[in-house]
Amino acid sequence: MGAVETNERGEVRESQTQQGERKLGLLANWRILLFTLYIGMSLFEYGYDKGAIAGFQAMPGFLQVFGYQLPNGTWGIKPDPQRMITSFMTVGSLVGAMSTGPIGAHLCRRYSLMLACTALLVSIVLMVVTTSFGVLYFARILCGLGNGVVMNFAFVYLQEVTPPHLRSLCFGIASFWITFGTTLGMVVNNATVGVAGRLSYQIPLYVCFPIPVALILSLPFLPESPRWLLHHNRPEEALKALRFFRKGAYDEVAVQQEFEEMKAVAAREAESEKNWRLVFELFKGTNLRRTIVCVGVTCANAGVGAMFILSFGTYFFTIAEVDSPFKWIVITNCLGVVGLFLSWFLVQRMGQRRLILAGCVICSASMVTIAALYTAPLSSAKAGVGLIVATSFYLFGFNLGLESYTFLTSGELPAQNLRAYTLGLSVGVSFIFAWLCTFTTPYYINPAELNWGPKYAWIWFGSSLIATAFIYFLLPDVKGRSLEEIDEMFRNKVPTRAFKTYVCVEIEEARARGVMNALAGEKALALDEKPSGKHVESVS
């Protein structure tokens, strides 16, 4: 480790602070990457729901139970059930997201995920067995509750255990499960759409069972978040958990330095304060700025019209008279997966701010293309081809920068004691806008109502431009920064453009204390291992 100079009081000089060894390669950090893949599984059902349930609205087996038969013998769905099926899930997600703060004050991250997975299992069973609208609507609300809690705690858990240089990549990997779930839902729907009767939509629902069951059985055996443990006055367990997550990548000095950074924040804040008034801290002092940025960035997901494309994609292609809509929605979503994979390589170099901005620009361009195609006097065949291409680019851009990195940003900017509250509020407000989209979209695109069809994209083009401007002017660049560094910069009111170059003094002091702790540990170990014996004088 090398020599460390100290002053007359035994303190490490700031200019001589030693840095512990941190291996930044993926191979050295295999443990945290594997853990990310595991926790990311909890997001599968949220993505699968967008792919599978959205397709049910164009599936004869489902419509025979919850739809009506047209004079020509085909099946359709009325606007009210269409609106309720999607919007009730969003309302449930809103309630689940807003409950994140209070739940996190009482339950650890792992047990919160287990509770949410239980709610998801119950909702799946109800959707499989029911033929009643009332039970179906209740199941959709319960499904939303589970997904709202899962999304928030999965992201919070990952934010609190991943090292700063891998946080963006880990979020991209975890969000793979959302995109994978959406794609698999569409693929399974395409395979079962021709199955007679209720099995056509029950089979896709059966696919949802294994992952929640596996998580419920295995989560109790994993370490808890070190930051959650620290904020609940359990420092020994926190240090042990941090050593587990950094094993093989950090030496003891680096672990102690990171632990001291966490302790410095925990000394000021206490998430374990179970006071509902804590939520008002979101709108006071420097926390107000964090809240505005976090809510605005997360709302960019809804602001670019994601729910319009994701929740009504198959139905949207159907009313636009695109041939084989189930197959084309799968193909376009696969191009979205390409965007997600590409983001894994770009985020380490560009940072999530630039990727989010790029995603907003691509989504804006796609929306104006879709709207223009169906406003101009084109043949249905040419417009259909253009719609497929524009939708493909939209999903590429959305997965490249928005699907995962907006949630990352809204969870890494808040104060530690308000992280669950802020992320819950951000996702909750985003779900409100998503609900407005799913609730009102049928009126615009359904042939029985306004029948705008793809021209509805004009609205989302304007909304996408607003989201792009917000990201450009208000979102700071925190690439490679620890959660504690971000906290210090917000408390010191650092301007948005200065985040990238700001030097965090408090963090340097914490790292110096970490060096002293490691040295003290090495000294104690040396004394323990030193052989001892008795001096025996010879007797003449």
Side-chain angles (χ1 to χ4, degrees):
M1 184 176 64
V4 178
E5 297 184 21
T6 59
N7 59 23
E8 62 275 8
R9 291 177 296 174
E11 296 173 336
V12 177
R13 294 178 182 174
E14 184 177 330
S15 61
Q16 297 295 326
T17 299
Q18 302 295 303
Q19 291 293 326
E21 182 183 4
R22 293 173 172 84
K23 297 178 181 178
L24 306 183
L26 299 182
L27 186 60
N29 289 273
W30 67 268
R31 181 181 294 246
I32 200 68
L33 295 175
L34 187 62
F35 179 82
T36 298
L37 275 174
Y38 168 79
I39 290 297
M41 287 196 308
S42 62
L43 304 172
F44 170 83
E45 207 282 333
Y46 175 72
Y48 190 84
D49 188 278
K50 291 190 293 185
I53 304 300
F56 289 177
Q57 300 174 43
M59 188 175 287
F62 181 81
L63 297 176
Q64 288 169 10
V65 180
F66 298 103
Y68 66 97
Q69 192 168 22
L70 297 169
N72 61 3
T74 60
W75 292 87
I77 186 170
K78 295 180 179 179
D80 286 344
Q82 185 182 37
R83 187 172 60 246
M84 297 300 181
I85 289 169
T86 306
S87 63
F88 272 160
M89 192 272 191
T90 308
V91 170
S93 298
L94 165 64
V95 176
M98 298 295 285
S99 303
T100 302
I103 292 174
H106 294 80
L107 287 179
C108 66
R109 310 311 189 201
R110 295 171 301 139
Y111 291 166
S112 299
L113 286 172
M114 291 169 62
L115 177 66
C117 287
T118 302
L120 289 177
L121 286 175
V122 174
S123 70
I124 295 166
V125 171
L126 291 176
M127 284 189 283
V128 166
V129 301
T130 189
T131 58
S132 163
F133 276 108
V135 176
L136 177 63
Y137 296 158
F138 174 75
R140 298 299 293 154
I141 292 176
L142 190 60
C143 180
L145 280 169
N147 276 310
V149 174
V150 159
M151 284 189 64
N152 281 275
F153 280 108
F155 285 134
V156 168
Y157 198 178
L158 287 175
Q159 279 157 344
E160 293 179 349
V161 304
T162 52
H165 72 283
L166 287 178
R167 195 164 57 240
S168 297
L169 176 61
C170 287
F171 261 67
I173 293 173
S175 296
F176 158 78
W177 286 99
I178 299 178
T179 306
F180 172 68
T182 303
T183 305
L184 184 62
M186 294 173 178
V187 170
V188 174
N189 275 2
N190 184 59
T192 64
V193 64
V195 176
R198 295 175 60 199
L199 276 177
S200 61
Y201 70 89
Q202 287 176 329
I203 292 173
L205 289 171
Y206 291 143
V207 177
C208 296
F209 279 106
I211 287 180
V213 172
L215 288 169
I216 290 172
L217 294 177
S218 57
L219 275 169
F221 302 100
L222 289 180
E224 187 47 63
S225 157
R227 288 180 171 89
W228 187 90
L229 291 168
L230 260 181
H231 281 261
H232 287 76
N233 304 313
R234 295 155 66 177
E236 294 82 8
E237 296 176 59
L239 182 56
K240 182 179 178 181
L242 183 62
R243 284 181 176 136
F244 171 85
F245 288 117
R246 300 294 181 265
K247 186 176 181 181
Y250 282 29
D251 66 6
E252 182 61 20
V253 174
V255 170
Q256 289 288 347
Q257 287 179 319
E258 186 172 6
F259 188 61
E260 283 297 325
E261 294 177 40
M262 295 179 186
K263 284 173 62 178
V265 174
R268 288 191 303 269
E269 305 165 351
E271 188 186 21
S272 55
E273 180 186 355
K274 301 176 179 64
N275 189 336
W276 64 271
R277 294 182 181 85
L278 192 62
V279 70
F280 292 112
E281 294 298 319
L282 296 174
F283 310 102
K284 295 180 180 179
T286 58
N287 287 327
L288 176 60
R289 178 188 176 191
R290 306 188 204 207
T291 301
I292 291 173
V293 175
C294 291
V295 171
V297 171
T298 309
C299 286
N301 254 332
V304 297
M307 295 303 290
F308 170 46
I309 299 295
L310 297 173
S311 295
F312 297 95
T314 309
Y315 179 80
F316 182 54
F317 276 16
T318 301
I319 62 173
E321 298 181 354
V322 172
D323 290 336
S324 305
F326 279 91
K327 292 181 180 179
W328 279 114
I329 200 66
V330 171
I331 294 172
T332 57
N333 204 72
C334 286
L335 293 174
V337 175
V338 173
L340 176 64
F341 287 155
L342 181 61
S343 75
W344 296 0
F345 298 97
L346 295 179
V347 74
Q348 294 293 89
R349 297 165 177 81
M350 298 173 57
Q352 64 262 28
R353 180 185 180 274
R354 292 181 179 178
L355 282 187
I356 294 173
L357 189 60
C360 286
V361 171
I362 294 173
C363 289
S364 300
S366 300
M367 281 297 184
V368 72
T369 301
I370 292 172
L373 284 171
Y374 281 83
T375 302
L378 296 175
S379 66
S380 59
K382 291 181 179 179
V385 172
L387 174 62
I388 292 170
V389 173
T391 302
S392 300
F393 273 101
Y394 178 93
L395 292 173
F396 174 84
F398 182 74
N399 285 282
L400 177 72
L402 289 159
E403 179 75 302
S404 55
Y405 302 115
T406 53
F407 294 110
L408 165 62
T409 301
S410 60
E412 67 182 355
L413 301 188
Q416 173 62 30
N417 65 328
L418 298 175
R419 179 161 290 114
Y421 287 91
T422 309
L423 183 58
L425 175 66
S426 302
V427 176
V429 174
S430 175
F431 277 134
I432 290 176
F433 284 103
W435 172 79
L436 285 172
C437 173
T438 57
F439 190 82
T440 59
T441 293
Y443 284 115
Y444 288 96
I445 67 175
N446 196 298
E449 299 293 338
L450 293 179
N451 195 26
W452 283 16
K455 288 186 286 186
Y456 180 51
W458 281 119
I459 293 177
W460 294 112
F461 169 60
S463 178
S464 298
L465 291 180
I466 295 173
T468 304
F470 183 93
I471 298 299
Y472 182 79
F473 289 107
L474 294 179
L475 179 62
D477 188 347
V478 294
K479 178 178 177 288
R481 296 283 193 169
S482 70
L483 299 181
E484 288 71 28
E485 286 178 296
I486 295 170
D487 178 75
E488 181 179 337
M489 287 189 284
F490 271 107
R491 284 188 290 105
N492 291 339
K493 300 180 180 179
V494 177
T496 300
R497 290 292 182 266
F499 267 63
K500 192 171 183 179
T501 57
Y502 187 80
V503 177
C504 296
V505 177
E506 294 178 20
I507 297 304
E508 290 299 316
E509 294 173 349
R511 289 171 181 170
R513 292 194 299 271
V515 174
M516 295 301 297
N517 291 343
L519 285 174
E522 289 182 3
K523 184 177 180 180
L525 181 60
L527 289 174
D528 289 340
E529 293 178 348
K530 184 177 180 180
S532 61
K534 295 181 180 179
H535 176 67
V536 181
E537 295 185 2
S538 59
V539 180
S540 57

